[in-house]
Amino acid sequence: MRDTAFHKGADMRKTIIASLGAIAVMGLSACSEKAQDQVEQAGDAVGNDIESGINNADDKIAAGADKAGRAIDNMGDEIGAAADRVGDDVEAGAKDAKKDVGAAVEEAGRDIKD
């Protein structure tokens, strides 16, 4: 989905820049040289601002995706550690249960002897 949004942004940037170029060309043909220069400079400035804004948005999206990836990695580590603790608890419980069953069997054996 990110690629689609990125491509839409790039397509929109191209469309806007092309539109500004067309407007600049039309304006240049009807204006004095000074006015033409001003229109061209304004068009360049607008195009640069748009490109800068899109690049900043891309950077922020990438940074957000990186941050989310790190959070997911950290959660995976925490889940792994919790699973290890559960495994240790189960193992300890099994050992305790084995001891309890062994003691009960020994006691039953003594009761049968008596």
Side-chain angles (χ1 to χ4, degrees), residues 17-31 35-36 39-44:
I17 291 171
S19 298
L20 289 173
I23 291 169
V25 168
M26 288 187 294
L28 289 174
S29 65
C31 298
Q36 291 174 2
V39 169
E40 184 177 343
Q41 289 172 358
D44 288 345

Side-chain angles (χ1 to χ4, degrees), residues 38-97:
Q38 290 174 345
V39 169
E40 184 177 343
Q41 289 172 358
D44 288 345
V46 170
N48 290 337
D49 287 347
I50 291 169
E51 186 172 1
S52 177
I54 290 171
N55 289 336
N56 288 339
D58 288 345
D59 291 344
K60 288 181 181 184
I61 290 168
D66 288 344
K67 186 175 179 179
R70 285 191 303 276
I72 290 169
D73 287 344
N74 290 339
M75 288 175 61
D77 292 344
E78 290 176 18
I79 290 169
D84 289 344
R85 288 191 300 273
V86 168
D88 292 344
D89 290 347
V90 168
E91 187 176 331
K95 285 180 182 178
D96 289 344

